Amino acid sequence: DNKQREAFQTLRHLFETSHQDNIQVLKALIRCKDDPLPLFDGSTKQRVSIEVLRKKIVLLYITDLHHISDQEVVIFEQMFQESRQDSTRLESQYELVWIPVVEKGTAWTESKQKFERLQSMMPWYSVYDPSLLEPATIRYIKEVWLFNTKPMLVVLDPQGKVVNLNAVHMMWIWGSMAYPFSSLREEALWKEETWGLALLADT
């Protein structure tokens, strides 16, 4: 318990401090029992280290296993693939990481099948084994970022600072055009938007 309390306070401190890059923050957040390869790359089907996210804008796609639908994953997948068609485009300079929140005490064997099926649909990064995530991480996501059951998209800038606590709606409306997915960008996009029938009727 003391170890987890310390880990929680460390997370709070790290997210409130300025850093040169995002690695320290991400390593503290995505600690899977000190596994050196805690991420799974959905495009290569290989396990990778946190280093692949260094100095990138990182979108943390946080869900549980009960309130995430196949349709939502498919739409995100289309947006993600479109953004990757031209790697030189500014809008493609971000990484997506799925963090599934698995409740402590949940029978992992029952949830594992659904997790693996969803993970197989995702071309982005995901936590390799969410049952190994530190309890302090789950507590931080719930208490500080106020994750309940609805999927959320927390955006970290290249220095690991939270610039948007939930960019899900930005993704739905503007897709990769919402890059860099910050609250300031969202404000600017709404100011540019013409409030008319086209906004409501457009697909």
Side-chain angles (χ1 to χ4, degrees), residues 48-110:
V48 293
S49 79
I50 297 285
E51 287 294 326
V52 295
L53 305 174
R54 184 183 285 275
K55 292 198 172 177
K56 299 272 184 77
I57 287 176
V58 178
L59 278 58
L60 301 172
Y61 184 36
I62 302 168
T63 75
D64 61 16
L65 292 178
H66 307 292
H67 297 86
I68 174 174
S69 66
D70 289 9
Q71 292 93 326
E72 189 169 286
V73 174
V74 167
I75 293 168
F76 262 136
E77 194 259 342
Q78 288 170 350
M79 290 177 183
F80 184 79
Q81 297 291 21
E82 280 170 20
S83 75
R84 291 303 190 265
Q85 283 172 4
D86 181 0
S87 59
T88 59
R89 281 172 57 203
L90 193 64
E91 296 90 60
S92 67
Q93 308 303 308
Y94 70 90
E95 296 296 348
L96 196 56
V97 180
W98 181 38
I99 300 183
V101 174
V102 178
E103 288 295 337
K104 200 174 181 182
T106 303
W108 176 235
T109 44
E110 293 171 23

Side-chain angles (χ1 to χ4, degrees), residues 3-195:
K3 189 183 169 190
Q4 289 307 320
R5 267 197 295 275
E6 280 174 28
F8 178 79
Q9 291 305 331
T10 299
L11 271 174
R12 285 198 89 124
H13 175 71
L14 285 170
F15 275 107
E16 288 165 6
T17 313
S18 298
H19 304 279
Q20 282 192 317
D21 62 35
N22 55 4
I23 289 298
Q24 197 181 356
V25 165
L26 288 167
K27 277 186 173 174
L29 187 73
I30 309 173
R31 257 179 64 200
C32 294
K33 309 293 182 197
D34 296 319
D35 189 325
L37 302 173
L39 297 178
F40 179 77
D41 184 340
S43 59
T44 64
K45 309 300 179 191
Q46 300 289 319
R47 291 180 65 180
V48 293
S49 79
I50 297 285
E51 287 294 326
V52 295
L53 305 174
R54 184 183 285 275
K55 292 198 172 177
K56 299 272 184 77
I57 287 176
V58 178
L59 278 58
L60 301 172
Y61 184 36
I62 302 168
T63 75
D64 61 16
L65 292 178
H66 307 292
H67 297 86
I68 174 174
S69 66
D70 289 9
Q71 292 93 326
E72 189 169 286
V73 174
V74 167
I75 293 168
F76 262 136
E77 194 259 342
Q78 288 170 350
M79 290 177 183
F80 184 79
Q81 297 291 21
E82 280 170 20
S83 75
R84 291 303 190 265
Q85 283 172 4
D86 181 0
S87 59
T88 59
R89 281 172 57 203
L90 193 64
E91 296 90 60
S92 67
Q93 308 303 308
Y94 70 90
E95 296 296 348
L96 196 56
V97 180
W98 181 38
I99 300 183
V101 174
V102 178
E103 288 295 337
K104 200 174 181 182
T106 303
W108 176 235
T109 44
E110 293 171 23
S111 307
K112 195 175 181 186
Q113 202 172 359
K114 182 167 187 187
F115 164 73
E116 287 175 348
R117 183 176 59 75
L118 285 165
Q119 189 183 52
S120 70
M121 296 167 65
M122 300 177 177
W124 49 79
Y125 297 112
S126 56
V127 172
Y128 175 69
D129 185 348
S131 68
L132 297 179
L133 269 177
E134 295 283 353
T137 296
I138 306 297
R139 183 185 163 199
Y140 187 88
I141 287 169
K142 289 184 168 187
E143 290 186 18
V144 181
W145 290 347
L146 304 178
F147 171 75
N148 189 3
T149 54
K150 283 185 179 178
M152 61 191 294
L153 203 60
V154 176
V155 183
L156 306 182
D157 71 7
Q159 287 73 48
K161 181 186 173 188
V162 175
V163 290
N164 197 334
L165 258 180
N166 197 356
V168 164
H169 305 104
M170 287 183 82
M171 279 296 253
W172 286 153
I173 300 166
W174 293 287
S176 294
M177 289 299 293
Y179 180 91
F181 312 101
S182 65
S183 301
L184 288 173
R185 175 65 176 149
E186 185 171 22
E187 204 175 303
L189 283 165
W190 278 121
K191 280 179 182 170
E192 291 167 18
E193 199 62 68
T194 306
W195 289 82

